[in-house]
Amino acid sequence: MLKSYERELIDRGIAAADSTTYQQNKIWSRHTNEKADVADSLSKVIRSINKTVPLSLPLRALALGCSDEPQFRILEAAFKGGLYLFDIDETALAVVDRRIKRQLIEGVTTVVGDYATSFATPRDAKRTLDKRLGGERFDLITLHHSLYYSDKSTWAPLMENLYKGLLAPKGALHLALMSSTPRPGTTTWLYNHFADRFFGHRNDQDLLAFRDVLAESPALSDAQLASRTSEVQFFVDDFEQYMAVVWMIMLYPHVHNYSLDQRREITTFVLENFWWSKRPLVQVQDYLAVYKDVRGGVLV
């Protein structure tokens, strides 16, 4: 029999499922070292680009599925030729717009759109570049944790269209994604545990395997590929906030619409197996850089 305090916690955890992706990501960013880890990898890619492109040439960058990532600060400083933040989440971009206005930032443009359709074909990519992204190619294009919301069968065409149609003659694509390796206690394991049981679905979005796919792509025959794997942790001493991040990991409701009973079961499981014992969520994540004519582009 659950105590009243436990029932209250579970109710709060279930209610956290209604928080927005923007709110969930803010909690994740505040209570994990993941963003610093992404920034470390991103900085190495920028360093590789700077070794090839003259410092006198202002660089341009495009962040797809950017939300209001902390990497915005790095990108804004490094890409004075123009930074475009492209996201389907209007709420997150509105936060960036307010910051741009408050801090008198120039050269940053927010664009509301769905990358899955805006760059689905070479023609779509060309149209989006010309009509919504200023018409000039980019030295860097990032996809940080944004591929979860598209089927992996669409990844290769997307990368080919970005590489051939939007990337400058010398530049890089930088991708980050949760690893598909289901080590017990990791975010991937937690996702698989319930998504498989309730929907027959497991995380098969493997960025390292995708590297091998790109290596065989004729469109990327001149590309140099680099990848690595790292590990980060998340914990917050507030169960409602902890569960908000769990719902983000569980892809609710954008991919999996768990029923109320299923949400209650997930919440109870997390309370009993993670939060009571102050057990952090461990996320193993993969990075992939795709370089186009960048000297020494092996750091990632």
Side-chain angles (χ1 to χ4, degrees):
M1 179 84 113
L2 292 174
K3 298 178 181 179
S4 59
Y5 177 60
E6 292 174 317
R7 287 197 298 270
E8 180 185 348
L9 281 177
I10 291 172
D11 288 342
R12 287 171 52 195
I14 294 172
D18 295 327
S19 57
T20 65
T21 302
Y22 164 73
Q23 293 169 323
Q24 295 164 351
N25 190 54
K26 291 297 288 184
I27 296 168
W28 169 260
S29 300
R30 190 174 295 118
H31 299 282
T32 182
N33 59 331
E34 188 267 340
K35 299 307 177 185
D37 195 65
V38 173
D40 175 65
S41 178
L42 174 62
S43 296
K44 292 174 181 175
V45 173
I46 295 174
R47 176 184 171 190
S48 294
I49 295 172
N50 284 334
K51 289 169 60 179
T52 298
V53 180
L55 292 177
S56 59
L57 181 66
L59 300 178
R60 286 168 49 84
L62 169 65
L64 298 180
C66 59
S67 185
D68 70 327
E69 293 277 8
Q71 284 73 37
F72 160 81
R73 296 168 177 83
I74 297 175
L75 295 173
E76 186 276 328
F79 293 87
K80 290 300 186 181
L83 169 61
Y84 285 77
L85 305 177
F86 192 100
D87 199 288
I88 200 170
D89 189 340
E90 296 184 46
T91 301
L93 292 183
V95 173
V96 177
D97 284 330
R98 290 194 292 271
R99 182 187 304 159
I100 291 171
K101 184 176 181 179
R102 183 175 66 252
Q103 298 178 346
L104 305 177
I105 296 173
E106 297 180 352
V108 179
T109 303
T110 59
V111 182
V112 178
D114 182 355
Y115 74 81
T117 56
S118 297
F119 307 100
T121 68
R123 179 177 293 182
D124 292 330
K126 181 67 165 58
R127 183 186 303 113
T128 302
L129 176 64
D130 291 341
K131 294 188 175 181
R132 309 198 68 193
L133 301 175
E136 295 183 40
R137 291 178 176 240
F138 297 94
D139 304 280
L140 174 71
I141 301 174
T142 67
L143 294 97
H144 295 160
H145 297 293
S146 52
L147 289 178
Y148 302 120
Y149 304 100
S150 59
D151 190 274
K152 67 176 184 178
S153 64
T154 67
W155 290 3
L158 172 64
M159 292 302 111
E160 291 168 355
N161 294 337
L162 295 175
Y163 186 86
K164 301 290 286 188
L166 273 78
L167 198 61
K170 299 179 185 295
L173 300 166
H174 186 239
L175 293 74
L177 202 67
M178 183 175 74
S179 172
S180 64
T181 303
R183 196 180 81 203
T186 62
T187 53
T188 300
W189 177 88
L190 183 63
Y191 170 82
N192 286 348
H193 184 74
F194 288 105
D196 187 18
R197 179 178 167 192
F198 295 142
F199 299 101
H201 187 272
R202 299 177 66 83
N203 177 25
D204 61 354
Q205 296 181 321
D206 190 329
L207 201 57
L208 300 185
F210 184 51
R211 170 182 172 157
D212 297 334
V213 173
L214 293 183
E216 299 297 324
S217 169
L220 277 71
S221 60
D222 60 339
Q224 184 177 8
L225 307 176
S227 60
R228 76 172 176 89
T229 298
S230 65
E231 183 177 299
V232 299
Q233 294 188 359
F234 164 82
F235 184 81
V236 56
D237 198 17
D238 180 299
F239 186 62
E240 189 170 350
Q241 292 188 40
Y242 194 97
M243 282 304 305
V245 168
V246 169
W247 295 123
M248 180 176 68
I249 293 165
M250 301 304 294
L251 301 182
Y252 173 86
H254 304 293
V255 177
H256 303 306
N257 191 13
Y258 303 95
S259 69
L260 178 58
D261 286 342
Q262 290 168 344
R263 278 176 274 155
R264 185 173 300 278
E265 182 176 339
I266 293 169
T267 303
T268 303
F269 180 90
V270 172
L271 177 66
E272 294 177 348
N273 292 277
F274 285 86
W275 198 76
W276 276 138
S277 59
K278 298 190 180 299
R279 180 182 180 184
L281 281 173
V282 175
Q283 177 156 297
V284 180
Q285 58 190 29
D286 299 324
Y287 294 100
L288 174 62
V290 181
Y291 292 103
K292 180 194 284 187
D293 197 20
V294 171
R295 294 192 305 271
V298 296
L299 298 174
V300 65

